[in-house]
Amino acid sequence: METRHDERVQQLLLAIKRSDKLHLKDAARLLGVSEMTIRRDINTTDAPVTLLGGYLVIEAHAANASNYLLSVQKHRLVKEKQFIGRLAAKLVKPHHTVFFDCGTTTPWIINAIADDLPFTGICYSLNTFLSLQEKPMCQVILCGGEFHHENAVFTPITFQETLDHLRPDLAFFSAAGVDPQKGVTCFNINELPVKHWAMKAASRHILVADHSKFGVVRGAFMGELSAFDSLVTDKPLLAGVQEAVLARAITVICEE
C-alpha cells in the first residue's frame, strides 16, 4: 500500500525522466505541495533523486534500479538506520559469534554495541569491517576475496578458506526489498553467495530493514520471508506486511 509520500516520489521520478530535470518550484506546483515538502520527500526516500542547483535530477549511475552505490545509500534515512541499529545491537550477547551483512544499516548495529562486550564479528564488506575494528573487545573475521567497488564487498574465491569453518550464533541481514510474495531481495547478485552461506550456517537469522524497503522487489533473491526469525525495523508494519509476518511466526522489533 503506497503512502502519499510514495506517490509523490513516483510522480517526481516520472516527471524527471521525461525532461531529465525538474525545477523545485515546478515540482511543488505539479504536486500541489510546498517546496519544503518536496525537500523532505527526497531526503526520506531510497529513490535515486537529488536536488542540484535548484533542480531535481536522477542521481548519477542510479537511473537503473538494479544499480547500488554505497556512497549514495549511506546518506539516506540515516536516523532510521541508527534507530534500527540500536534495537538490533541489544540482541548481541557476550561471546556471541555474529555475521554482519553488507550495506549501510549494519554498521549502525556495530556502533551501538557496547565497547566492553566481547564478541566475534564476521563480515565481508569494507564499511562493516571498519566499524568492527573500532570495537576493542571484538575478534574480527573478514572474509577476503575479489573486491567490488560499487558495494564495497569481498566475494570469496573459495568458501573452504574461512566461511565453512564458522557457525554464527546470529546473522544480521540487510535488504533492499521485502515483499510477502516475492521474498527478500537485494541489488547485487555478487552478494548472494555469502548471504546464502550465512542463511545456512547461522543459528538465528535477523532481517534489518527500514520502512522504505517494504513492498519493494529488487533483482537478487536472498530468500523467502519465512527464512528469517526476527525483523528489526523503524516503524509499525502496514497491514498486509504485518499479516504476512505474523503468519510466518517472525518476531518484529520496532520499539526501544
Side-chain angles (χ1 to χ4, degrees), residues 14-60:
L14 289 173
I16 297 167
K17 287 176 180 178
R18 285 195 295 266
S19 58
D20 291 331
K21 62 181 180 180
L22 181 65
H23 198 280
L24 180 60
K25 290 182 179 179
D26 295 330
R29 190 179 304 113
L30 173 68
L31 300 181
V33 296
S34 67
E35 293 181 22
M36 183 58 69
T37 296
I38 300 294
R39 290 178 182 273
R40 190 183 304 115
D41 283 348
I42 64 174
N43 286 329
T44 55
T45 180
D46 272 355
V49 58
T50 191
L51 185 64
L52 291 176
Y55 286 88
L56 296 166
V57 297
I58 302 295
E59 289 171 340

Side-chain angles (χ1 to χ4, degrees), residues 115-191:
D115 285 346
D116 60 354
L117 190 145
F119 70 102
T120 298
I122 305 168
C123 63
Y124 69 111
S125 65
L126 184 59
N127 64 328
T128 306
F129 169 76
L130 292 174
S131 295
L132 284 170
Q133 59 92 29
E134 292 291 334
K135 292 294 170 179
M137 299 297 290
C138 178
Q139 178 183 1
V140 187
I141 300 174
L142 172 64
C143 305
E146 182 184 1
F147 182 70
H148 302 268
H149 289 278
E150 71 278 6
N151 50 352
V153 304
F154 297 86
T155 52
I157 303 302
T158 171
F159 282 94
Q160 282 68 35
E161 290 181 1
T162 300
L163 292 175
D164 280 353
H165 300 289
L166 302 171
R167 292 294 182 267
D169 298 290
L170 304 176
F172 290 109
F173 296 89
S174 60
V178 181
D179 184 88
Q181 284 73 46
K182 298 294 185 179
V184 181
T185 53
C186 62
F187 282 93
N188 292 296
I189 293 176
N190 61 27
E191 299 170 13

Side-chain angles (χ1 to χ4, degrees), residues 97-112:
T97 296
V98 186
F99 169 81
F100 294 93
D101 203 354
C102 62
T104 56
T105 301
T106 42
W108 292 113
I109 302 173
I110 298 164
N111 291 349

